[in-house]
Amino acid sequence: MVKRYSDLNRAKVNANVNISANLGRVDDKASTQFLQNVKSTADTFADIAINNAKRNALEQAKDSALASEIVIENGLPVYNPILDGGDVYNAKYEEIYNKNYVDTLTTSFDKKIVETRKTFLDDPKNQFDAIPLLNSMNDIRSSMLSEVPQQFQNIFSNYSMGKINQVFNAESQQVATALNNSNKKSLLTRITNFGKVYEVDPSEENEKN
């Protein structure tokens, strides 16, 4: 007997049948490890590239800074760094350029002091007085200090003051020696003259006899 459609609808379904939804887990450990290896390799290559770029930038900055000419105008070096690279390049360039600038600055000051001292020594009236030299050196220091960039003023101020003290102390000792010798000579001259005043004339001595 053929069942009708309506009979099929009345067919009972066994509700006690358990259907498992667990189709089985996919093990992704291998793929995760692979991705981690790829990332690690990429990071390594990136680090190598970055380090190479930094090293090249540092070398180029060093070469450029050492080749940079520091112009002297009116006895004073002109501060003019050319910072046209990236952060790494500019930092290294400025470090080396600044050192060269300070060296040039102190050398320029030393030359001025040498010239001033020579002028001082050429004037005979300064033989017994070092104060004019001190005043001249302080004038040079003040003039240069007013033109030095702000970032180098403390360095230059300390260096120039130390140099002035060194030269002045040395010259003061020379002056003291000159004064001492002059006083000795003067005293010897006075003693000699004093002896001549009271020296007995032989003719007078004969007359007494």
Side-chain angles (χ1 to χ4, degrees):
M1 181 178 178
V2 179
K3 292 185 179 182
R4 293 177 297 177
Y5 177 76
S6 58
D7 294 330
L8 292 174
N9 286 340
R10 290 193 295 271
K12 293 182 178 180
V13 178
N14 187 357
N16 295 324
V17 176
N18 294 325
I19 301 175
S20 176
N22 186 6
L23 300 179
R25 280 188 167 185
V26 178
D27 188 359
D28 61 349
K29 290 183 179 179
S31 59
T32 300
Q33 184 62 45
F34 173 76
L35 292 175
Q36 289 178 348
N37 290 341
V38 171
K39 182 179 182 301
S40 176
T41 301
D43 290 343
T44 299
F45 279 112
D47 289 341
I48 292 174
I50 291 173
N51 289 334
N52 287 339
K54 285 183 177 179
R55 183 168 59 252
N56 291 336
L58 292 174
E59 291 176 356
Q60 292 175 6
K62 179 180 178 181
D63 293 340
S64 297
L66 292 176
S68 297
E69 180 183 2
I70 298 179
V71 179
I72 305 295
E73 291 184 0
N74 299 322
L76 188 71
V78 178
Y79 184 71
N80 185 33
I82 302 175
L83 304 177
D84 56 358
D87 292 342
V88 174
Y89 175 94
N90 288 346
K92 189 63 177 180
Y93 177 97
E94 193 170 22
E95 174 191 343
I96 297 175
Y97 184 93
N98 286 355
K99 181 181 182 303
N100 291 342
Y101 176 81
V102 171
D103 290 343
T104 306
L105 179 64
T106 54
T107 298
S108 298
F109 178 76
D110 290 347
K111 288 181 178 179
K112 287 179 176 290
I113 293 301
V114 169
E115 293 170 358
T116 299
R117 183 171 182 271
K118 183 177 182 304
T119 301
F120 168 82
L121 294 177
D122 288 343
D123 190 343
K125 69 182 181 183
N126 293 327
Q127 182 180 5
F128 304 120
D129 188 4
I131 297 301
L133 175 62
L134 178 63
N135 293 336
S136 296
M137 292 191 295
N138 281 330
D139 289 342
I140 293 173
R141 176 176 180 269
S142 298
S143 176
M144 292 184 66
L145 190 59
S146 65
E147 300 295 331
V148 172
Q150 183 67 36
Q151 66 202 87
F152 302 109
Q153 288 201 355
N154 285 339
I155 296 175
F156 177 73
S157 178
N158 293 334
Y159 176 85
S160 57
M161 182 57 70
K163 188 69 176 182
I164 288 174
N165 288 337
Q166 177 186 358
V167 174
F168 177 71
N169 289 338
E171 199 57 45
S172 294
Q173 292 179 2
Q174 294 295 325
V175 168
T177 300
L179 282 171
N180 185 47
N181 292 338
S182 176
N183 290 336
K184 287 181 178 179
K185 183 178 180 180
S186 176
L187 179 60
L188 180 61
T189 300
R190 291 175 62 187
I191 293 175
T192 302
N193 292 336
F194 181 82
K196 288 182 178 179
V197 170
Y198 290 94
E199 185 177 18
V200 178
D201 189 338
S203 60
E204 293 181 358
E205 188 67 22
N206 292 332
E207 291 179 358
K208 290 180 180 181
N209 294 330

